[in-house]
Amino acid sequence: MPLFAVPAPEPAGRELAHALATGPFSRALTLAIDHSGLGLARLKGRLAAAGVPVSTTTLSYWRTGRTRPERPESLRAVAVLEGVLGLPTRALTDLLALPGEGPATPGPVCWERLWEPRAHVVAVLHSFEAADETSLVVLSLHEVLHVDATRALTRLHVREVVRAVTEPVQSKVVVLRGCTPGHPPRLVSTRYCRPVRTEVLTEPGFVVSELVPHRSLAVGETAILEYEFEYCDGVPDTSYDRRFRHRGTEHLLEVHFAPGALPASCHSYRLDSPGGPERDVTAVSPGSPAHVFSSGGPPGIRGMRWSWP
């Protein structure tokens, strides 16, 4: 027997070492967190202290494989996690490059894919922790848009049915852009929820508001959120669209044009990202009201466009 014997790794340590060598990323991260004894809330605090804030929901999704770190700031967070969890440099980062590595189920797309690359709203969205939470899924979305006789958008009423899918949820962030820069819409009423923080980007014409349901949602629970915006620019417009981070949302869009001021034509469309080609273009009758319904579609942008006589 040797004088100085090196003890064999504990079973948990051997399992972690094997996961770090072979992946997948989600399993290696889960085992590393379990081995460290740190909870997600403590990891979140240490990441925030290091200047790379990540929500507990995002950490949970990385653990389960529902989503994976892809954005540069997320990859920086993984590098910090390696140090916090006592792992070798790039032990987790390199797993993300393994063939076939990816989320087990399609996760939500990032905000950067849904807004123009230089849109000021993206940075504001990331300042809301609830905007990066992915535990709240929109099951059904019903929008009612009104256009007056001057061809200007006047108000938008929205009714959402949402569900908390993996963690309790306390709030949701909504964003709307005005028709012209310098004239952002106003949130004028809510039902079954209340606004707790609103940021107005006057120059680009955005309003971003965090809405809190009347009670926090436990996992699996659903809630109804209703809210209404007023447009403030008073200029004619020819389209409206909505950004979807998740796939599968049931969506009904109604556009009510003033009597005697109907457009010459309407069509619905879908975009994978801003500036991309219009897909699934379908003619829509402009009256009674003009409407389009979709269900089970991919993430992206869905809307309606019209032309005036």
Side-chain angles (χ1 to χ4, degrees):
M1 179 177 179
L3 183 60
F4 297 102
V6 178
E10 295 293 327
R14 290 198 299 270
E15 193 175 11
L16 172 59
H18 182 265
L20 290 173
T22 62
F25 170 85
S26 57
R27 178 163 177 76
L29 177 62
T30 296
L31 293 173
I33 292 174
D34 293 345
H35 194 260
S36 73
L38 297 173
L40 296 186
R42 292 178 66 187
L43 286 176
K44 173 187 172 182
R46 296 198 182 186
L47 289 170
V52 283
V54 176
S55 70
T56 54
T57 299
T58 297
L59 290 171
S60 176
Y61 274 32
W62 290 354
R63 287 188 60 164
T64 61
R66 183 178 176 89
T67 62
R68 68 198 298 260
E70 293 181 337
R71 300 199 307 260
E73 55 267 33
S74 297
L75 297 177
R76 288 195 295 271
V78 172
V80 174
L81 273 176
E82 292 166 348
V84 171
L85 298 173
L87 302 175
T89 300
R90 299 195 62 83
L92 293 173
T93 304
D94 287 346
L95 292 178
L96 294 169
L98 290 178
E101 177 67 40
T105 58
V109 301
C110 62
W111 288 116
E112 287 80 355
R113 172 179 153 182
L114 299 178
W115 295 101
E116 294 78 2
R118 296 185 179 181
H120 299 283
V121 72
V122 173
V124 175
L125 279 167
H126 286 312
S127 73
F128 288 80
E129 182 171 333
D132 287 326
E133 296 285 356
T134 53
S135 184
L136 191 69
V137 173
V138 180
L139 303 177
S140 177
L141 177 67
H142 183 189
E143 303 184 278
V144 182
L145 179 69
H146 292 267
V147 183
D148 68 12
T150 70
R151 305 178 177 179
L153 309 188
T154 58
R155 70 183 189 275
L156 173 71
H157 182 270
V158 182
R159 179 183 176 94
E160 300 190 35
V161 180
V162 298
R163 172 180 286 152
V165 292
T166 58
E167 292 195 5
V169 175
Q170 297 182 350
S171 62
K172 175 182 182 2
V173 172
V174 297
V175 57
L176 185 65
R177 177 172 53 186
C179 302
T180 57
H183 299 278
R186 294 187 302 118
L187 179 68
V188 294
S189 67
T190 59
R191 189 180 184 193
Y192 312 126
C193 58
R194 59 185 176 87
V196 294
R197 176 187 167 194
T198 297
E199 297 288 340
V200 177
L201 288 72
T202 302
E203 184 56 35
F206 284 93
V207 58
V208 184
S209 189
E210 183 176 9
L211 305 178
V212 175
H214 285 169
R215 61 183 178 83
S216 179
L217 300 181
V219 174
E221 284 192 314
T222 59
I224 298 171
L225 308 177
E226 290 189 14
Y227 48 95
E228 185 167 312
F229 288 97
E230 281 187 355
Y231 287 88
C232 304
D233 33 32
V235 299
D237 202 9
T238 58
S239 67
Y240 170 80
D241 58 43
R242 165 73 68 145
R243 270 70 171 162
F244 292 87
R245 297 187 68 199
H246 296 85
R247 78 168 45 248
T249 301
E250 180 183 272
H251 181 221
L252 173 62
L253 170 61
E254 299 178 28
V255 182
H256 293 254
F257 297 99
L262 297 182
S265 63
C266 295
H267 71 266
S268 62
Y269 62 89
R270 178 178 65 83
L271 302 174
D272 292 327
S273 59
E278 291 188 354
R279 305 180 185 277
D280 303 334
V281 178
T282 304
V284 176
S285 173
S288 300
H291 72 279
V292 58
F293 175 80
S294 60
S295 178
I301 302 169
R302 305 180 206 170
M304 188 185 299
R305 194 179 306 281
W306 53 89
S307 60
W308 296 107

